[in-house]
Structure formats: structure tokens, C-alpha cells
């Protein structure tokens, strides 16, 4: 998966307008689940270890590298990404 396609997927999660839908654009989704607080698991840049950043805001997800990225709801642990 390329970075570009990942960004397009992420844009969908954030409620960006999509060309493949006729529905009117909704406001940006700030809380995809519960309170919008998430735990973000990601792989290190120079190693294969998994790191977890706890209690981040959902909009912060876009600042993380897409490789190996996993995002979970901090409240119900549902996987969001
Ligand atoms: Zn939740």
C-alpha cells in the first residue's frame, strides 16, 4: 500500500468529500468512536518493534507514519484503523 492510497483512506475516515458517493458532505468526524480518544500502535522507523502511544486524540492519527499503524478506541478497544 502506498502512502498516497493510505492518505486517501484516512481522508475518508476523517469525513473528507468522496467522489464515489452522492451523500452530502457531513461535518468532519472528530469522534469516530466513544470520546475520540485513541491508542495508536505503530512500528519503529529503524526497527521492527511495536510502539504504543496512549490517549491521543483521533485527529493526531494523521501525524503518524502509516506503516504498521493500528488505532484503537481508548474506551471500548474497538479497532478503528
Ligand atoms: Zn469506542
Amino acid at each position: 500500500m502506498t502512502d498516497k492510497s493510505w492518505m486517501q483512506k484516512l481522508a475518508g475516515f476523517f469525513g473528507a468529500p468522496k467522489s464515489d458517493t452522492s451523500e452530502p458532505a457531513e461535518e468532519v468526524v472528530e469522534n469516530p468512536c466513544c470520546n475520540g480518544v485513541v491508542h495508536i500502535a505503530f512500528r519503529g522507523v529503524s526497527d521492527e518493534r511495536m510502539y504504543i502511544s496512549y490517549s491521543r486524540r483521533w485527529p493526531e492519527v494523521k501525524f503518524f507514519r502509516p506503516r504498521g499503524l493500528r488505532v484503537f478506541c481508548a474506551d471500548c478497544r474497538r479497532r478503528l484503523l
Side-chain angles (χ1 to χ4, degrees), residues 6-53:
W6 184 85
M7 287 301 294
Q8 289 170 338
K9 181 181 176 187
L10 191 61
F13 276 102
F14 280 106
K18 287 177 283 190
S19 59
D20 61 349
T21 177
S22 60
E23 296 177 8
E26 299 289 336
E27 62 269 30
V28 173
V29 178
E30 295 186 0
N31 298 334
C33 188
C34 300
N35 298 314
V37 179
V38 298
H39 298 326
I40 301 171
F42 56 99
R43 289 207 179 278
V45 176
S46 58
D47 58 32
E48 290 301 314
R49 290 186 56 193
M50 290 297 296
Y51 298 86
I52 299 181
S53 184

Side-chain angles (χ1 to χ4, degrees), residues 50-79:
M50 290 297 296
Y51 298 86
I52 299 181
S53 184
Y54 292 99
S55 300
R56 308 304 294 252
R57 303 298 300 180
W58 169 249
E60 295 182 76
V61 171
K62 61 173 177 264
F63 297 119
F64 287 80
R65 289 171 170 272
R67 196 170 74 93
L69 191 67
R70 296 179 191 177
V71 181
F72 299 88
C73 175
D75 291 323
C76 70
R77 303 306 175 107
R78 185 166 71 93
R79 185 170 178 179

